[in-house]
Amino acid sequence: ISMIKGKDIVCISTSDWDKPWGSRQQLMSRLSASNRVFFVEYQASFAHLFFLPFLCARIKRFKNPTRKINDNLFVYTPYPGLPCGYYSRTINRINQYMLAWFLKRILKKLNFTDIILWLYPPSSVELLGKLDEKTILYHCIADFPAEKRIFLRRRAVLSMEKELTVKSDIILALTESLFNKHKHINSRTYLFPSAVDESVFFPSAGNDVAEPLDIAVLNRPRIGMVGYLDGNVLDIDLVNYIADQHPEWSIVLIGPKYRHIIRLSLLSKKGNIYFIPEKKNNEMPVYIKNLDVCMIPYVVNE
């Protein structure tokens, strides 16, 4: 990353800038120190605005969809697209053409040239060749075709991703399984795992800070996790089983309830499962330090 300097980067993200904060924002923040970055938030559909309440906050941004984070970093909120873009390449093509139409005009005003197109969603394959990009980089952070077991969705996303894999100049794969999946199609695939922000999580973090009250009241041992709580990603049955087998344990889930909240409500019925709201990055070491065991209870799937 430190080798990339003086470039214009257009990042098509799978999330908004503010939430969920992760590798996309971390990378683009760092890249903006030596490059100009235009961060395009997740392209939601009209249906998403109804079924995912946390996206409703976007509506007020549509009046001024481009905002400046610092001198080199701009964030753009796309207008909603047609529903079912991940189920039909035709619908996705319409959505991406609409997005490209807006992006071309904004990027021209900002004088972005010789663009590195840094792509996260496979659906962005339809943007290729429309933004005068010089380099196409696919940053693969998930097995998108396997996310849902719906035939039409899997077929459409698999088609998009395969084309994007073939046409990309560089592919960065988050895990070894993703690396192996793409390497045999495109030899310019590199393993690029996530890391940790040492400025926050250094060895002595939290040593001199008092135990936060909202975790101090919970009995030990405390078995916990930190992250965005997604009812489709968390293994609800496993967490319930742990709580049932050891009612004397405190099961602590720290973070915002992000998606599929109805499934998460199955955990709320247990007297020894505790939800602690999202904390700032610089607060996390203190909470992790005051857990006795940390776990990552994710569903085992493809």
Side-chain angles (χ1 to χ4, degrees), residues 90-137:
T90 301
I91 295 174
N92 179 61
R93 194 169 291 118
I94 294 170
N95 287 339
Q96 301 307 311
Y97 280 13
M98 181 174 68
L99 176 60
W101 190 88
F102 285 106
L103 291 181
K104 284 176 71 173
R105 281 148 185 78
I106 299 169
L107 295 173
K108 186 176 181 179
K109 289 181 180 179
L110 293 173
N111 196 31
F112 268 55
T113 58
D114 294 334
I115 290 169
I116 296 176
L117 197 52
W118 196 299
L119 307 173
Y120 284 95
S123 57
S124 58
V125 66
E126 305 296 350
L127 294 175
L128 302 186
K130 295 179 177 60
L131 300 177
D132 297 325
E133 68 275 4
K134 185 177 182 181
T135 304
I136 301 165
L137 187 153

Side-chain angles (χ1 to χ4, degrees), residues 280-300:
K280 295 178 181 177
N281 275 10
N282 59 3
E283 296 176 303
M284 288 317 310
V286 183
Y287 280 84
I288 292 173
K289 183 177 177 63
N290 285 287
L291 294 173
D292 297 297
V293 175
C294 292
M295 61 177 177
I296 309 176
Y298 289 168
V299 172
V300 178

Side-chain angles (χ1 to χ4, degrees), residues 67-290:
R67 59 193 191 275
K68 187 175 181 179
I69 305 300
N70 61 46
D71 288 343
N72 283 343
L73 178 57
F74 305 86
V75 173
Y76 175 72
T77 304
Y79 294 102
L82 298 174
C84 300
Y86 271 112
Y87 294 80
S88 164
R89 289 209 61 170
T90 301
I91 295 174
N92 179 61
R93 194 169 291 118
I94 294 170
N95 287 339
Q96 301 307 311
Y97 280 13
M98 181 174 68
L99 176 60
W101 190 88
F102 285 106
L103 291 181
K104 284 176 71 173
R105 281 148 185 78
I106 299 169
L107 295 173
K108 186 176 181 179
K109 289 181 180 179
L110 293 173
N111 196 31
F112 268 55
T113 58
D114 294 334
I115 290 169
I116 296 176
L117 197 52
W118 196 299
L119 307 173
Y120 284 95
S123 57
S124 58
V125 66
E126 305 296 350
L127 294 175
L128 302 186
K130 295 179 177 60
L131 300 177
D132 297 325
E133 68 275 4
K134 185 177 182 181
T135 304
I136 301 165
L137 187 153
Y138 176 34
H139 192 169
C140 183
I141 59 172
D143 190 351
F144 291 103
E147 280 189 333
K148 294 183 180 180
R149 296 179 179 178
I150 302 172
F151 173 73
L152 286 177
R153 186 186 192 279
R154 190 180 289 235
R155 184 179 66 177
V157 175
L158 193 60
S159 171
M160 296 174 196
E161 186 177 62
K162 186 174 181 180
E163 183 179 340
L164 181 56
T165 300
V166 169
K167 293 183 176 180
S168 292
D169 298 302
I170 300 170
I171 299 174
L172 301 180
L174 179 67
T175 66
E176 285 195 25
S177 61
L178 292 173
F179 169 78
N180 293 328
K181 174 184 175 181
H182 295 285
K183 180 72 174 178
H184 78 278
I185 300 175
N186 189 326
S187 61
R188 298 179 301 278
T189 301
Y190 303 92
L191 182 62
F192 191 68
S194 287
V196 64
D197 187 347
E198 292 181 347
S199 66
V200 177
F201 294 94
F202 50 92
S204 60
N207 282 354
D208 301 322
V209 180
E211 190 175 19
L213 291 178
D214 52 359
I215 200 170
V217 297
L218 304 182
N219 293 331
R220 290 182 182 272
R222 301 170 189 148
I223 292 80
M225 71 155 287
V226 173
Y228 281 79
L229 307 178
D230 185 332
N232 254 20
V233 175
L234 283 183
D235 192 329
I236 304 295
D237 294 335
L238 174 62
V239 177
N240 270 328
Y241 178 81
I242 295 171
D244 287 337
Q245 293 298 306
H246 291 277
E248 75 280 11
W249 292 359
S250 295
I251 312 300
V252 188
L253 306 177
I254 305 172
K257 296 177 182 178
Y258 180 50
R259 291 182 299 192
H260 308 288
I261 295 174
I262 293 176
R263 295 203 72 232
L264 287 174
S265 66
L266 299 174
L267 298 174
S268 304
K269 298 176 182 178
K270 305 291 181 181
N272 60 332
I273 296 181
Y274 304 94
F275 288 91
I276 293 181
E278 179 181 12
K279 302 299 175 182
K280 295 178 181 177
N281 275 10
N282 59 3
E283 296 176 303
M284 288 317 310
V286 183
Y287 280 84
I288 292 173
K289 183 177 177 63
N290 285 287

Side-chain angles (χ1 to χ4, degrees), residues 55-73:
L55 287 177
C56 290
R58 285 174 152 223
I59 295 175
K60 61 184 180 182
R61 300 206 295 268
F62 291 151
K63 186 176 180 181
N64 296 296
T66 303
R67 59 193 191 275
K68 187 175 181 179
I69 305 300
N70 61 46
D71 288 343
N72 283 343
L73 178 57

